[in-house]
Amino acid sequence: MYVLGLESSCDDCSAAVVEETPSGPVLLSMAKQSQDHLHGPYGGVVPELAAREHLLQVRNVIQEALAKADMPLRRLDRIAVTQGPGLVGSLLTLFSASKAIAWREGIPWVPVHHLLGHLGAARFAVPDLPFPALALLVSGGHTHLYRAADWTHLELIQKTRDDAAGEAFDKTARMLNLGYPGGPVVDTLARRAERAAAPFSAPKFRDGKASWSFSGLKTAVKLRIAGEPGLDAAGPEDPRVQALCRSLNETVAAWLLKPIPAVAGETGARSLIISGGVACNSELRSQARILADRLHLRLAVPEPRFCTDNGAMIASAGVLLPPAADPWSMNADSNLALVG
Ligand code: KG4
Ligand code: ZN
């Protein structure tokens, strides 16, 4: 089965052609246009600019993906597209375009929840993953831990109370004037550091409920920077900047993985999936490997290009979901709920 996967929920416009084979999904081509140059000066995604840029990019990414795979539209068995959650103007671009293409060519059309896409990305890494699995989905918008009964059924275990983990990286990079998005640059500098700065202490919750919080971490980073005159402008070569980045990397990885041992026991999990942009993080990836080995969990962490938003993950999830009976009655939904 050949699937065209499309993703435009935030600031990445991406299309991919994936072949579903008996041994799992195989990527035939992927096109992705970034908008980092556009949003960089603002230190974060500007929704109106993102929506307008998607309109300019949509045609190119679809054509590029089809051409690279040498795949005429008529040979496609499915078109899968992100329905939500995300920025509504961004979502609408590929959602509407894909419906029109599917209708004109008579191709079955599948709307996909963005988080099922991040989960589906892990099928490229371990297609025969044993379930149930724990799924840690971490990005610029999500920090959620689920119990996955299979690749399309998720039950929430815990999530962040405020910011997503990716925001801690993006805001830190912004405070240190390192550019946008922050995760990749903070991670690179962390790996160059000879030592880590003092660790950040984890928040304590009065209600005792299991969750995460990353907004306090942003404040803690801000106070650290304010306490060292000139640090905000010191730049990427400064050892103090690198030490701070390493400390952030270690803190976020430790916090994210902390609940896994207990929850794995409670849920009878056999695997651990980590996906979403923050799953590119080198410290998180190496700590996850150590932890999974210790707990005898099969680990599925996609290659970095499948962790950040991309069309291939939507195609991978889209083959497992039913095509819509009436695409014209459906709309993009910025708050789309996950039906377990
Ligand atoms: O999944 P994604 O591409 O978009 C959303 O759905 O949000 O994730 C983007 C997030 C950004 O916050 C970015 O800084 C973060 O993923 N990120 C990283 C790394 N690469 C990207 N965070 C930490 N370490 C990285 N290497
Ligand atoms: Zn995402």
Side-chain angles (χ1 to χ4, degrees):
M1 182 195 287
Y2 296 116
V3 189
L4 176 66
L6 304 168
E7 154 64 34
S8 69
S9 65
C10 189
D11 61 337
D12 288 306
C13 194
S14 178
V17 179
V18 169
E19 180 179 2
E20 181 67 16
T21 73
S23 47
V26 175
L27 182 70
L28 301 186
S29 69
M30 178 136 80
K32 182 165 167 172
Q33 290 199 356
S34 156
Q35 303 179 355
D36 291 349
H37 62 286
L38 206 64
H39 305 293
Y42 303 96
V45 178
V46 182
E48 289 78 7
L49 293 181
R52 207 168 55 189
E53 194 69 1
H54 279 303
L55 281 174
L56 302 172
Q57 295 172 330
V58 56
R59 191 187 174 101
N60 291 343
V61 293
I62 293 176
Q63 283 181 341
E64 187 186 330
L66 292 172
K68 275 191 191 158
D70 198 12
M71 179 70 53
L73 276 174
R74 66 186 147 70
R75 277 185 69 205
L76 289 172
D77 299 295
R78 267 181 194 206
I79 297 180
V81 64
T82 306
Q83 184 181 12
L87 302 172
V88 75
S90 296
L91 286 165
L92 272 170
T93 322
L94 274 174
F95 196 77
S96 310
S98 66
K99 266 201 275 191
I101 297 169
W103 171 75
R104 195 190 64 187
E105 302 290 330
I107 305 168
W109 176 89
V110 191
V112 178
H113 191 287
H114 184 73
L115 288 184
L116 288 188
H118 278 305
L119 190 74
R123 294 183 67 235
F124 289 100
V126 189
D128 59 345
L129 195 77
F131 285 93
L134 294 180
L136 178 60
L137 305 182
V138 264
S139 68
H142 293 93
T143 303
H144 288 48
L145 179 63
Y146 292 95
R147 179 185 188 275
D150 55 36
W151 289 112
T152 58
H153 291 90
L154 295 178
E155 188 190 327
L156 183 66
I157 295 172
Q158 72 174 66
K159 62 177 183 163
T160 179
R161 293 176 184 231
D162 38 57
D163 295 344
E167 282 182 66
F169 287 102
D170 294 334
K171 295 283 156 49
T172 297
R174 189 173 176 178
M175 289 187 268
L176 290 168
N177 288 298
L178 297 173
Y180 172 85
V185 62
V186 168
D187 194 13
T188 305
L189 297 184
R191 274 179 280 149
R192 280 205 234 149
E194 282 182 12
R195 59 172 187 89
F200 293 96
S201 34
K204 292 195 176 62
F205 304 118
R206 281 212 194 96
D207 61 15
K209 282 199 192 126
S211 59
W212 291 285
S213 164
F214 289 93
S215 74
L217 181 57
K218 269 179 358 197
T219 311
V221 171
K222 190 174 172 185
L223 292 174
R224 284 268 178 101
I225 295 172
E228 288 199 47
L231 192 63
D232 55 344
E237 301 307 324
D238 191 299
R240 293 170 307 159
V241 170
Q242 296 177 359
L244 183 60
C245 291
R246 182 157 152 193
S247 166
L248 186 72
N249 251 19
E250 291 176 358
T251 298
V252 175
W255 289 7
L256 288 174
L257 295 175
K258 189 159 182 277
I260 302 297
V263 172
E266 286 159 20
T267 56
R270 300 169 68 198
S271 309
L272 173 61
I273 299 165
I274 308 184
S275 189
V278 177
C280 296
N281 188 265
S282 59
E283 182 69 19
L284 180 60
R285 294 172 85 92
S286 65
Q287 292 303 326
R289 166 55 54 209
I290 295 167
L291 184 65
D293 287 348
R294 179 159 70 78
L295 300 175
H296 305 292
L297 295 172
R298 187 85 190 270
L299 182 65
V301 188
E303 284 172 42
R305 65 184 170 143
F306 293 133
C307 284
T308 49
D309 292 349
N310 67 86
M313 69 184 199
I314 302 300
S316 172
V319 294
L320 305 177
L321 297 166
D326 178 15
W328 298 108
S329 69
M330 306 194 72
N331 215 339
D333 183 347
S334 58
N335 292 312
L336 187 67
L338 198 55
V339 183

